[in-house]
């Protein structure tokens, strides 16, 4: 039986005899071949579907490790700032480990599914008028003076847990892909993947990918080389103007001979709709930044024909139903008559 990341990758993680082996059976997510998009783009494209983690995002990988270490070190409470997914994961793993979770979120800028999760898992939810960057600054200050463990990705155990996704990609493909495409928000995940690819290569000779990270254009601090005071994007997960792991992300880009570029909200929404409608994979808007970037890089030659590309789909589309409904022309035909339905189907099918 698969028992989660701490057991699965024990010897690659900072686990001691005193680390509680908590688990919601996170990790072990599918690498889905995207047949339609591969054909259209002329590459071998896969989606690493992190939306199938227990709380619906990649955050579970880092959170299981960070919460286990916090408990090992005696914490009774954890705290994080979040655009939504981190708070859902923190709340779930805190419950699992028997500690309390405080989550600080930007008022009105968190997708409905994520808020619902924090509520139902029983977190203490604090909403602030500012954005994620301000929330992160606040919790960093608070964790200095209060008896709470900070579980944002500035906590190094988070990246340790998250690097396991790179291990899985190598195991699933047999080696690293040519390109790993990934959304960039606070920049922890791109840094974690790069660490994971390097460690797995050192042990197993699985080679190294080029890391292609993508920020939303209205929040593209690394691309522009400056802090964005008022970040804006439809992809609220990555609405971050001062990434905490900025330097690590640049190192991942440079060491791997990759790129960090930006994608517009229009490119994000286009990719978001395409992967659902063409390949049957529903991801959240922030996750679609990786695919939007792949499409852009195929066009401008930064990805070459025939290359193997893994796009990380960081979160599940169900997290943000409002965006799904607003991003498409919803066509629901109201019918109560069986004959009317029959005709509707008959006409439709005859056109196929
Ligand atoms: N994709 C999703 C769905 C996310 O929730 C996040 C970050 C990212 C990508 C970016 O990852 O920050 O490691 O570069 N969400 C954080 C949160 C900030 O609070 O849930 P990153």
């Amino acid at each position: 039986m698969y028992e989660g990341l701490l057991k699965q990758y024990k010897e690659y993680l900072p686990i001691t005899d005193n680390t509680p082996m908590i688990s919601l059976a996170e990790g072990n997510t599918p690498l889905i071949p995207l047949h339609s998009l591969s054909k259209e783009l002329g590459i071998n494209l896969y989606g690493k579907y992190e939306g199938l983690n227990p709380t619906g995002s990649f955050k579970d990988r880092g959170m299981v490790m960070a919460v286990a270490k916090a408990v090992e070190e005696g914490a009774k409470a954890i705290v994080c700032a979040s655009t939504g997914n981190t708070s859902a994961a923190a709340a779930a793993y805190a419950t699992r480990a028997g500690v309390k979770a405080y989550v600080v979120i930007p008022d009105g800028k968190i997708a409905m599914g994520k808020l619902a999760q924090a509520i139902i898992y029983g977190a203490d939810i604090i909403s602030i008028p500012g954005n994620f960057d301000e929330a992160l600054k606040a919790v960093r200050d608070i964790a200095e003076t209060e008896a709470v463990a900070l579980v944002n990705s500035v906590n190094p155990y988070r990246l340790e847990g998250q690097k396991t996704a790179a291990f899985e990609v190598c195991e699933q493909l047999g080696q690293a892909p040519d390109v790993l495409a990934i959304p960039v928000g606070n920049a922890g995940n791109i840094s974690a993947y790069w660490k994971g690819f390097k460690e797995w290569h050192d042990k197993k000779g699985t080679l190294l990918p080029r890391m292609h990270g993508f920020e939303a254009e209205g929040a593209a601090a690394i691309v522009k080389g400056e802090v964005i005071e008022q970040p804006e994007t439809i992809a609220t997960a990555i609405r971050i103007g001062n990434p905490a792991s900025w330097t690590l992300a640049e190192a991942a880009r440079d060491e791997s001979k990759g790129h960090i570029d930006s994608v517009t909200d229009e490119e994000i929404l286009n990719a978001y709709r395409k992967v659902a409608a063409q390949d049957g994979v529903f991801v959240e808007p922030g996750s679609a930044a990786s695919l939007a970037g792949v499409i852009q890089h195929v066009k401008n030659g930064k990805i070459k024909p025939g290359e193997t590309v893994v796009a990380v789909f960081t979160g599940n589309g169900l997290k943000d139903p409002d965006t799904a409904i607003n991003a498409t022309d919803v066509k629901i035909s109201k019918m109560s008559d069986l004959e009317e339905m029959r005709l509707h189907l008959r006409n439709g099918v005859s056109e196929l």
Side-chain angles (χ1 to χ4, degrees), residues 58-59 82-86 183-189 237-238 240 284 314:
F58 73 97
K59 302 289 182 177
S82 182
T83 57
N85 282 326
T86 299
V184 174
N186 211 23
N189 211 25
I238 54 172
I240 294 172
E284 68 165 286
T314 45

Side-chain angles (χ1 to χ4, degrees), residues 1-294:
M1 195 171 97
Y2 179 80
E3 291 178 86
L5 290 177
L6 301 190
K7 283 221 170 120
Q8 187 72 12
Y9 294 112
K10 191 164 183 231
E11 66 261 47
Y12 301 92
L13 295 171
I15 289 173
T16 70
D17 290 345
N18 299 323
T19 311
M21 299 299 273
I22 54 175
S23 162
L24 284 166
E26 60 292 318
N28 195 25
T29 58
L31 188 68
I32 306 178
L34 304 174
H35 298 301
S36 171
L37 282 161
S38 289
K39 198 161 168 231
E40 181 178 324
L41 297 170
I43 56 176
N44 297 315
L45 181 60
Y46 297 83
K48 178 68 172 158
Y49 196 22
E50 290 289 278
L52 288 187
N53 274 295
T55 78
S57 88
F58 73 97
K59 302 289 182 177
D60 294 341
R61 293 181 185 274
M63 203 54 76
V64 70
M65 188 76 251
V67 172
K69 292 308 276 188
V71 170
E72 180 178 342
E73 287 156 17
K76 293 200 172 67
I78 60 171
V79 67
C80 68
S82 182
T83 57
N85 282 326
T86 299
S87 60
Y93 284 91
T95 293
R96 201 73 185 174
V99 297
K100 183 166 178 127
Y102 291 91
V103 306
V104 182
I105 55 172
D107 189 19
K109 293 289 183 182
I110 145 167
M112 199 53 77
K114 304 177 187 182
L115 184 58
Q117 288 181 291
I119 293 169
I120 202 83
Y121 292 132
D124 189 313
I125 305 167
I126 300 164
S127 165
I128 63 155
N131 58 34
F132 170 85
D133 304 289
E134 289 156 320
L136 181 58
K137 189 175 177 310
V139 294
R140 288 178 91 154
D141 284 355
I142 283 169
E144 292 281 316
T145 58
E146 307 311 308
V148 289
L150 181 63
V151 294
N152 278 105
S153 57
V154 291
N155 175 333
Y157 296 127
R158 280 277 310 278
L159 301 198
E160 288 299 310
Q162 285 174 211
K163 76 185 178 187
T164 58
F167 299 170
E168 289 178 15
V169 168
C170 292
E171 291 192 303
Q172 288 165 316
L173 280 179
Q175 63 175 58
D178 297 310
V179 171
L180 191 284
I182 187 165
V184 174
N186 211 23
N189 211 25
I190 188 172
S191 312
Y193 266 84
W194 182 236
K195 187 169 196 293
F197 281 120
K198 285 193 295 188
E199 287 182 14
W200 210 248
H201 175 59
D202 283 348
K203 289 265 185 330
K204 318 245 174 188
T206 41
L207 306 177
L208 296 169
R210 308 195 305 277
M211 303 293 291
H212 290 207
F214 299 97
E215 296 185 301
E217 191 180 65
I222 299 176
V223 174
K224 296 193 172 131
E226 61 187 43
V227 171
I228 314 285
E229 297 292 342
Q230 301 292 342
E232 263 323 327
T233 167
I234 189 155
T236 52
I238 54 172
R239 185 174 168 270
I240 294 172
N242 188 11
S245 298
W246 190 319
T247 316
L248 284 176
E250 286 186 334
R253 175 195 65 194
D254 298 341
E255 288 172 22
S256 75
K257 302 191 172 50
H259 304 273
I260 296 179
D261 286 322
S262 64
V263 286
T264 64
D265 279 4
E266 201 185 325
E267 288 176 293
I268 289 173
L269 287 176
N270 177 46
Y272 172 71
R273 285 185 291 252
K274 256 174 115 59
V275 66
Q278 285 181 222
D279 276 305
V281 182
F282 185 24
V283 306
E284 68 165 286
S287 304
S290 60
L291 176 61
V294 169

